[in-house]
Amino acid sequence: MHPFQYQRATSTAQAVAAVAPEPGATFIAGGTSHLDLMKEDVHRPSRLVDISLLPLKQITALAGGLRLGAGVSNTAAAAHPEIQRRYPVVSEALLTGASTQIRNAATLGGNPLQRTRCPYFRDPAQPCNKRAPGSGCAALGGINRGHALFGASDACVAIHPSDLAVALAALDAVVQTTGPRGPRAIPFPELHRLPGATPQVDTTLAHGELITAIDLPAFAGRSHYLKVRDRASYAFALVSCAVALEMDGEHVRRARLALGGVAHKPWRLPAAEALLVGEKPSEKLFRAAADAAFADARPLEHNAYKIPLGRNLLVQALLETSGLQALAGPAGTAFAASVGGLAGTFPAPY
Amino acid sequence: MMDAIGQPLERADAHLKVTGAARYAAEWDLPGLAYGAVVVSGIARGTVRAIDAKAARRTPGVLAVLTHENAPRLRPLPDKLGKVLLRGEGGMTEARQPLQDAEVYYAGQPLAVVVADTHERARHAATLVGVTYDEQPPELAMTTARRQARPATFLGSPEEKLQVSIGDPAAALAAAPVRLERVYESAVTHHNPIEPLATIAHWEQRDGADFLTLYDTTRFLTGVQQIAAGAFSLPKENVHVICPFVGGAFGSKGWLFAPPLLAALAARMVGRPVKIEWRRQDMFTVAGHRSATRQTLALGATPDGQLTALQHDTQSHASLVSGFAEPCANLSRMLYQVPNLGFTHQVAHLNLPSPSTMRGPGETVGGWALECALDELATELKLDPVALRLKNYAEHNPETGKPWSSKHLRDCYARGQALIGWEKRNPVPRAMREGRYLVGYGMATTMYPAGRNAATARATISADGQALVESATHEIGNGARTIFRQISADGLGLPVARVRFELGDSALPPAPNTGGSVTTATVGPAVLAACRNALRALRQLAVRDAQSPLFGAAEEAIEARAGRLQLRAAPAQGEDYGAILRRARLPAVSAEGSAKPGPEKKQYSFYSFGAVFAQVRVDEATGVIRVARLCGVYDVGRVMNPPTARSQLLGGMTMGLGATLMEETSYDPRTGHPVVRNLADYHVPSLADTPEMSIEFLDNPDPHIGELGARGIGEIGCVGTPAAITNAVFHATGQRLRELPLTPDKLLRAATRA
C-alpha cells in the first residue's frame, strides 16, 4: 500500500471539488473493494475523499418509482419494504452478493463501480491491460473459466462482478451524478462500457463525477434474480440473470433481461427480449429466447460451460418470474435467488 | 479412575478465545519492535540479476533491506530431523535456506525483507524494491516435467514404502474376470487457516551468548527450535519458541521453516525484535499446499465381487527444492483383502511452490480415488457398495499380515446405513428425484493410521491444592488444552477446576509436533505418567511423616481421590494434598513423566476406521450440487471429550466437503503464478454449503494403544467424505466425475457429453 491523503467530504460539492483537480484522487464510500485493491497495490490513490458521511442515505418516492441515495447500504436497500414489494430483483441481487458484513459496509453507489474479479487484474506481478495498459491480457490465454462470453476484446476478457448492476440494467435504472460540469442523468445500461482497446476505463463517468442517487423507474410487473456460483453463499456469479416482465393479460407486454458474469458490463439481451413480446409464456418460448440470447456468445478456452449454464438459467428465471414454476424461496430473499439453495435436507430449510 | 475423561467439558480456553485474550504469534508486543515486509519473486524460474533497494532504503522509517547479498549466512538444513527425512526425494520440507542465493524456483518465493519502524512503512517500501532477473521458461506440467522421481519411502520411514508390489498385480489384473481401470485427478488445495503465518524474532545477549526468542505460529515448537539453532549455530537451549495458540494449521505451520528464519535474519540484521506477518496472498506460496494428483486405479475382481488385484499409481508434484510425495496409496495398501497389491508414487518437480502435509496427506485424495473406484466396481457388478466392501473386509493388515489393534468397521457401516436410511436408496442411478433435483446416496470407507510417539510432561501439585501440568505440545484448535486438563485431573485425582494445563513453549518438557493425528495417544500417556510420579512423590512424603494419618502405610494401599490421599480400605483415613505439603514446608511437589510406544507397535497394526454416508441433490440444468446430509460413524478408540472430538470430525468432514465441491488453487499454465490469492476467490465451504451432520463414535477403547485406549481423530473426518459425496453425485446423475473439485462446469460438461 502507498501513502495517501485522506479527507472527509462535508458536501457533494466539496467532494467533487476535492477529487476533480487531482488525477490520483478518488472517492471512497464503503471501501469494500477499493481497500482490497489498495492493499494489493492495484489501486494507488494519492487522495481518498470519504463520502460516507454525506446525506445520500435516503430512499424516496419519485414519479411512480424510487430514488435510492448513493450512500444507502446494500443491507438497508435489500430490506426496504418498497424495494422488496415492487423491485424484488434488486433485493435478491443484493442479498446474493458478498457477505452480511460486506453488505453492511457496501453502498449502492459504490457497488456498480467495483472492479473486476479477474485474478490477473489483482496480481501486479502479471500482465493486465486493465491495471497496466499495454502490458497484455494474461486471462486471454490463461485461466479464463470465469471470463466473458460477450463483448470482450483482444485487450480484455474480464467481466463485471456486481449483482446489483445486473438488476439495475434490467430495470433501466437511471444514475444521477454530479461533477465538475454539473449534474447529469445516465441511463444505467450506458454507465458501464465494453473494454475495446481501453479496458482500464470501466465506466462513462468523468474523473471527479460522483454518483448521488440511482433512480428506479415506475414498474408494475414481476422481477426476479437467479444466480449460480461455486459455493452456496459469498461467491461471485458464474452466471446470473435478472428478469423484469410486464404482462398484458396472458401475454408478455415487455420483457427486459440481463445477464451477469458474461461480459464487461451487465449484458442486456435485446434479441431474446423481442422474441418474448406479445407471446404467451411457455417453456418452449423461453427456450427459444435463451437460444437467441446466446447465439453470438464467443467462449474462451475454459468458459464454454457458461453457454448451456446461461441458457438453462435464463429459462429457469423466466419460468419462475412468469409464475409457470414456483420460486425456490420467498420473493426478495437470497433463497429465491440462489440456485441450489442451502445445503441440508430437501426442501431447502429457509 | 476416569471421572473427567470422556466428559463433555467446555474448552479450557474458550473464554480466552472469544474475548480476544488468547495471544497469537503476531500479537506479542515487544519494546522496540520493528516490522518486516517480504518481497517475493515475480517469476517462477531463473536467477536474480539485481535487487535495486535504493528507493526503499531512502524511505522514512526503513531500517534495512535484506537480500541474498547482505543477509547473515545460515547453515544448511539437516538431512533429517529426528527420524523424519527433511531433504531429498520423499523428504518433508523445502531443502533450502532463505536469502542465501539468487536462484528462483517458483513465483512468490521470498527474495528480500524490508524492515521498517512501522508495518505500513515496511509494506510501502517493499513495493519500491525493484528486482531484475535472468528468466528461464518454467516447467509447470506434471506430465511433461523432465525431472521425475520415484521416492522409495515417505519421509524416510521404512514402514511407509511408496513403491510396493505384493503378489503379481499385473498378471492378476490380466487374468481377472472383471477389470476396471480409471484415472482420477485432484486439484491443488491450500490449508488457509484463518491465522496467517507470523513470527516475531528477538535476539538478546544472555550470559555473553546469543539467545533467540521466536514467537511463531507453529505446531512444531521443538522443530523450529532445532532448525533455528542449527541454522544460526547456536546450542538448542539458546533458542526459545513460544506459541500458546495456533489459529488453525490443517497441516501447515509444521515443516516449512523459512518464515521464522526470515524473521530471525531480519532481527539479527537490525538489532531489534522484528515481526513478519504474512499476507493472505503469500499463504498460497510459502505455507505449503496439497499437490494436485493424477491417480490410476486398476481393480481386478471375480464376478461376485472378490478383489483379486489392486494397482494404484500416483503422480503428484513438488517444487525443485522439495521431494514431498503425496502418499496416495495409504488406504489401498491396507483397507481390503487383496492378494495381488501394487502401488507406485511418482513426483514431478515443477516450478511451483513447495507442497507440504495437508489434513490426511495421501489419505484424503488417495482414499477418494480408491473409494470411488470401489463404487464404480460395485456398479459394474450390480452389487451394493456396502456389500462389496464387506465382501473384501480385511481381518488383518494385508500388507504386513499383522492383526489390527482394534477394528469395528462392520459396526460403522451398519450404523451409517441406519443413520442415512440406506434402505431407501434405489440402486439404479438417476432414479431418485425430489422436485427439480436429482437425489443420490453414496458412501465410502475412511481410515487414518493411529500413530503414537514419545513425549514428556511435568506435573506440579501446589500446597494450595491446585495443580499445573505442562508439556510442549500445541493447541491448534484441536482441544489439546482441554483434554489434557481432563487427563491430568484424573491422573492427579483432582477435580478439573483445580487443574491447569499449559503448552506452547519449547522450554516445557518436550513433545513432538502436533500432526498425523497422534497427539492424544502420544502426550496423553506422558501426562498420566507425570501425574502418577507427582502423586508418588506426595505419597512418599505422607508415609514418612509421623504426623500424617498415612504414616507408615504401604504405598499400594493408598489411593488418590478428589484431592485427598487416603487408604483404599478405609477412605476416612487420609488427608488433603495441601496438608501434606504444608506440613513438609514445601510450596509444591513436581515430577516429570514420559511415555513411548512399546513392543505393541511391532505386534499390531494400529488404525482408526469409519464409514461416511452422503445424500446429495443435484440441479442438472446448472450443475449445482448441494449436500443434503452427511453421516459419519467413527471407530477411533476411547473418546476423551465428546464435543471437542465432534468438532474435530465436523471440521474434517467440512474440509473434505470443501475439497470435493469447491476448493482449488490454479496456477497460470505459462507463468506459474497462483491465480487464486484470497479467501473471496478460494472457496472454503460457507455455512450455507454445510448440511447438518450426524457424527457418531463407537467409543470402543483400543486395548493396545496405551491405557487411555484413545486413537487420534484430527484427520479421519477429512478422509472418506470426498468419495461419499462423489459417489452420491454419480448415484444422483449417472455421471462419473473423476476430477476434483466437482464445480458446476464439470457436471455441465459431463451432462453435455452424455
Side-chain angles (χ1 to χ4, degrees):
Chain A
M1 189 141 67
H2 286 244
F4 56 87
Q5 300 292 317
Y6 170 84
Q7 72 185 80
R8 278 194 183 136
T10 52
S11 69
T12 52
Q14 192 232 355
V16 169
V19 170
E22 191 173 326
T26 180
F27 303 111
I28 186 164
T32 55
S33 163
H34 198 25
L35 290 175
D36 281 354
L37 291 166
M38 287 172 66
K39 288 187 244 178
E40 292 267 27
D41 290 317
V42 173
H43 282 184
R44 298 182 171 198
S46 59
R47 177 181 302 274
L48 289 183
V49 177
D50 187 341
I51 56 169
S52 61
L53 297 180
L54 296 184
L56 300 172
K57 301 185 188 197
Q58 303 298 314
I59 294 179
T60 49
L62 176 89
L66 289 177
R67 169 160 289 179
L68 317 178
V72 172
S73 76
N74 287 18
T75 299
H80 193 276
E82 285 302 303
I83 296 179
Q84 283 271 341
R85 188 170 68 81
R86 292 153 67 188
Y87 307 96
V89 65
V90 171
S91 292
E92 290 171 7
L94 286 168
L95 292 170
T96 57
S99 64
T100 305
Q101 293 90 336
I102 293 173
R103 289 194 295 271
N104 288 343
T107 63
L108 300 185
N111 180 287
L113 302 184
Q114 66 184 294
R115 311 297 307 274
T116 183
R117 299 300 302 185
C118 174
Y120 296 100
F121 171 69
R122 285 171 185 263
D123 184 353
Q126 307 216 47
C128 171
N129 290 320
K130 187 182 277 296
R131 187 190 63 248
S135 62
C137 173
L140 197 53
I143 307 287
N144 49 36
R145 174 178 177 265
H147 290 71
L149 292 177
F150 300 105
S153 70
D154 287 347
C156 182
V157 294
I159 58 161
H160 196 269
S162 163
D163 292 295
L164 173 65
V166 182
L168 296 178
L171 292 171
D172 284 313
V174 176
V175 178
Q176 301 292 342
T177 73
T178 183
R181 294 184 188 168
R184 67 168 173 151
I186 307 170
F188 198 87
E190 292 169 27
L191 175 66
H192 297 95
R193 54 186 297 286
L194 291 177
T198 53
Q200 69 272 24
V201 186
D202 285 357
T203 70
T204 55
L205 294 176
H207 178 68
E209 189 173 4
L210 176 67
I211 297 178
T212 55
I214 294 170
D215 293 345
L216 300 180
F219 175 68
R222 291 178 168 184
S223 70
H224 182 35
Y225 190 70
L226 265 190
K227 176 174 176 178
V228 171
R229 38 189 160 171
D230 278 328
R231 67 177 160 189
S233 175
Y234 188 38
F236 291 90
L238 296 173
V239 182
S240 68
C241 177
V243 177
L245 210 55
E246 288 154 285
M247 304 296 291
D248 232 347
E250 289 194 333
H251 296 86
V252 176
R253 177 158 52 83
R254 187 182 186 203
R256 286 171 293 173
L257 311 171
L259 296 174
V262 297
H264 200 256
K265 59 188 288 187
W267 197 249
R268 283 284 294 264
L269 303 169
E273 292 172 11
L275 268 177
L276 298 176
V277 174
E279 301 292 329
K280 208 171 151 182
S282 71
E283 182 162 354
K284 191 173 164 221
L285 173 70
F286 296 157
R287 283 264 158 231
D291 288 344
F294 285 84
D296 53 354
R298 302 271 298 275
L300 303 162
E301 187 182 353
H302 303 295
N303 70 351
Y305 73 94
K306 286 188 179 184
I307 296 175
L309 170 56
R311 275 199 207 109
N312 293 342
L313 189 68
L314 185 55
V315 171
Q316 187 65 33
L318 283 164
L319 286 170
E320 293 178 8
T321 314
S322 64
L324 290 181
Q325 279 190 21
L327 299 180
T333 68
F335 305 110
S338 302
V339 172
L342 297 180
T345 44
F346 187 86
Y350 50 77
Chain B
M1 191 178 65
M2 300 235 178
D3 291 339
I5 290 171
Q7 294 302 308
L9 291 177
E10 118 177 353
R11 281 178 191 260
D13 46 19
H15 191 262
L16 292 175
K17 284 182 173 174
V18 299
T19 58
R23 193 171 289 181
Y24 291 85
E27 299 178 328
W28 295 82
D29 191 15
L30 273 63
L33 184 63
Y35 300 80
V38 181
V39 178
V40 301
S41 163
I43 66 163
R45 182 178 174 212
T47 311
V48 172
R49 194 187 303 155
I51 296 181
D52 178 2
K54 284 194 290 292
R57 288 198 172 100
R58 276 200 305 268
T59 306
V62 169
L63 303 170
V65 180
L66 282 81
T67 71
H68 65 281
E69 288 173 334
N70 65 355
R73 296 299 94 185
L74 297 174
R75 279 171 52 196
L77 283 171
D79 288 338
K80 287 187 147 195
L81 193 55
K83 289 179 182 165
V84 175
L85 183 71
L86 292 183
R87 309 162 62 110
E89 302 298 349
M92 181 61 121
T93 193
E94 182 167 297
R96 177 172 183 272
Q97 299 288 40
L99 302 191
Q100 305 294 298
D101 62 70
E103 286 305 301
V104 175
Y105 298 99
Y106 52 87
Q109 177 184 313
L111 297 182
V113 182
V114 178
V115 187
D117 57 353
T118 71
H119 175 76
E120 291 76 12
R121 284 171 150 174
R123 282 275 160 88
H124 171 227
T127 67
L128 304 178
V129 174
V131 185
T132 51
Y133 309 90
D134 289 319
E135 192 174 353
Q136 292 179 295
E139 283 213 59
L140 299 168
M142 276 202 292
T143 44
T144 57
R146 281 169 301 171
R147 199 178 136 202
Q148 303 273 357
R150 293 225 168 181
T153 64
F154 182 61
L155 313 182
S157 163
E159 283 135 37
E160 296 181 74
K161 293 187 180 70
L162 292 174
Q163 322 292 340
V164 165
S165 188
I166 296 167
D168 191 343
L173 278 169
V178 181
R179 198 183 148 198
L180 179 144
E181 184 176 316
R182 299 285 186 268
V183 175
Y184 299 89
E185 294 180 277
S186 62
V188 170
T189 52
H190 275 88
H191 319 81
N192 271 320
I194 203 67
E195 178 205 24
L197 300 182
T199 310
I200 296 170
H202 183 202
W203 289 91
E204 295 166 281
Q205 287 284 309
R206 289 192 190 174
D207 306 325
D210 286 329
F211 192 95
L212 173 63
T213 304
L214 292 168
Y215 303 85
D216 182 44
T217 178
T218 181
R219 57 183 179 87
F220 195 6
L221 291 161
T222 56
V224 172
Q225 180 190 32
Q226 290 173 75
I227 293 293
F232 287 100
S233 305
L234 298 171
K236 195 177 75 175
E237 297 68 32
N238 287 29
V239 179
H240 186 191
V241 186
I242 296 170
C243 182
F245 294 93
V246 177
F250 314 118
S252 67
K253 303 180 179 175
W255 293 93
L256 292 171
F257 300 105
L261 290 178
L262 278 170
L265 283 171
R268 186 111 177 136
M269 186 105 162
V270 300
R272 285 166 67 167
V274 170
K275 168 158 82 177
I276 296 180
E277 205 176 348
W278 294 78
R279 305 179 309 159
R280 178 60 61 182
Q281 294 93 308
D282 300 316
M283 296 297 287
F284 291 86
T285 42
V286 300
H289 59 263
R290 191 195 306 284
S291 157
T293 67
R294 185 173 196 279
Q295 303 174 57
T296 306
L297 251 296
L299 300 176
T302 61
D304 64 350
Q306 192 70 57
L307 288 170
T308 56
L310 193 171
Q311 179 70 36
H312 187 168
D313 299 313
T314 297
Q315 166 91 69
S316 63
H317 59 83
S319 73
L320 288 151
V321 282
S322 158
F324 188 85
E326 187 74 14
C328 284
N330 285 356
L331 276 81
S332 294
R333 74 194 314 158
M334 50 61 71
L335 202 48
Y336 300 111
Q337 198 60 56
V338 193
N340 301 286
L341 170 68
F343 50 87
T344 65
H345 292 82
Q346 180 163 308
V347 179
H349 289 275
L350 302 178
N351 291 104
L352 292 177
S354 298
S356 73
T357 52
M358 183 167 166
R359 208 168 194 176
E363 290 86 3
T364 297
V365 292
W368 166 71
L370 174 69
E371 287 295 287
C372 287
L374 260 283
D375 200 71
E376 298 207 34
L377 182 63
T379 303
E380 192 104 354
L381 298 174
K382 297 192 165 44
L383 282 175
D384 180 87
V386 179
L388 177 65
R389 284 158 174 89
L390 291 173
K391 178 101 186 160
N392 293 283
Y393 197 86
E395 299 292 354
H396 57 266
N397 184 317
E399 187 192 7
T400 64
K402 289 179 193 171
W404 308 112
S405 64
S406 169
K407 178 179 180 181
H408 305 274
L409 179 55
R410 284 193 183 90
D411 296 343
C412 297
Y413 291 135
R415 182 64 187 146
Q417 284 175 291
L419 282 173
I420 198 85
W422 192 250
E423 77 286 351
K424 291 197 288 283
R425 176 183 186 267
N426 181 336
V428 180
R430 288 186 75 83
M432 300 183 74
R433 270 182 185 273
E434 282 181 20
R436 57 187 287 207
Y437 296 104
L438 292 163
V439 173
Y441 289 73
M443 60 81 57
T445 315
T446 179
M447 77 82 193
Y448 199 80
R452 182 185 168 191
N453 295 320
T456 55
R458 178 170 54 233
T460 303
I461 303 168
S462 302
D464 62 1
Q466 309 280 321
L468 171 65
V469 182
E470 303 160 289
S471 177
T473 185
H474 317 80
E475 174 58 62
I476 62 171
N478 49 355
R481 201 175 253 112
T482 307
I483 67 154
F484 293 134
R485 183 190 190 200
Q486 291 171 261
I487 294 168
S488 302
D490 284 354
L492 290 169
L494 280 172
V496 170
R498 282 161 64 181
V499 178
R500 205 152 57 86
F501 184 84
E502 281 305 333
L503 45 70
D505 187 320
S506 65
L508 299 177
N513 68 302
T514 290
S517 301
V518 304
T519 300
T520 302
T522 296
V523 180
V527 165
L528 277 183
C531 293
R532 203 165 281 144
N533 291 343
L535 278 182
R536 181 177 305 130
L538 198 62
R539 270 200 309 270
Q540 286 169 354
L541 282 176
V543 299
R544 289 171 197 163
D545 180 349
Q547 289 172 280
S548 170
L550 299 170
F551 179 65
E555 280 189 51
E556 318 78 71
I558 298 173
E559 63 176 8
R561 276 282 157 88
R564 271 167 58 86
L565 290 184
Q566 60 197 26
L567 288 181
R568 214 180 301 275
Q573 190 175 334
E575 62 179 333
D576 288 350
Y577 300 166
I580 301 168
L581 288 166
R582 285 191 298 273
R583 221 172 28 249
R585 295 184 187 284
L586 288 172
V589 62
S590 189
E592 293 207 357
S594 63
K596 60 181 181 191
E600 76 283 354
K601 208 167 182 174
K602 289 200 161 49
Q603 292 158 4
Y604 298 97
S605 190
F606 289 88
Y607 284 90
S608 282
F609 295 92
V612 185
F613 289 77
Q615 183 192 352
V616 302
R617 58 172 198 272
V618 179
D619 180 41
E620 209 174 26
T622 57
V624 171
I625 299 165
R626 291 283 183 269
V627 180
R629 296 176 64 205
L630 212 45
C631 304
V633 182
Y634 297 96
D635 170 25
V636 292
R638 190 198 303 277
V639 171
M640 299 288 102
N641 180 323
T644 62
R646 183 175 188 279
S647 288
Q648 282 280 72
L649 292 161
L650 182 103
M653 290 166 81
T654 305
M655 207 162 178
L657 186 155
T660 315
L661 295 185
M662 60 193 81
E663 292 189 37
E664 175 171 22
T665 303
S666 40
Y667 295 88
D668 184 86
R670 301 150 305 177
T671 66
H673 282 265
V675 295
V676 174
R677 297 160 69 246
N678 60 60
L679 288 178
D681 297 313
Y682 185 90
H683 298 133
V684 299
S686 69
L687 270 179
D689 295 288
T690 314
E692 186 181 320
M693 298 187 196
S694 307
I695 298 165
E696 292 191 2
F697 316 105
L698 299 185
D699 209 13
N700 293 322
D702 187 316
H704 300 294
I705 200 162
E707 67 178 290
L708 287 169
R711 301 193 295 253
I713 50 175
E715 291 162 273
I716 192 169
C718 200
V719 187
T721 303
I725 294 172
T726 306
N727 293 337
V729 170
F730 165 76
H731 180 237
T733 64
Q735 300 292 344
R736 284 288 176 195
L737 300 182
R738 302 188 187 93
E739 202 182 325
L740 292 181
L742 312 181
T743 44
D745 49 326
K746 293 186 182 134
L747 191 57
L748 282 164
R749 270 200 292 271
T752 310
R753 272 197 306 269

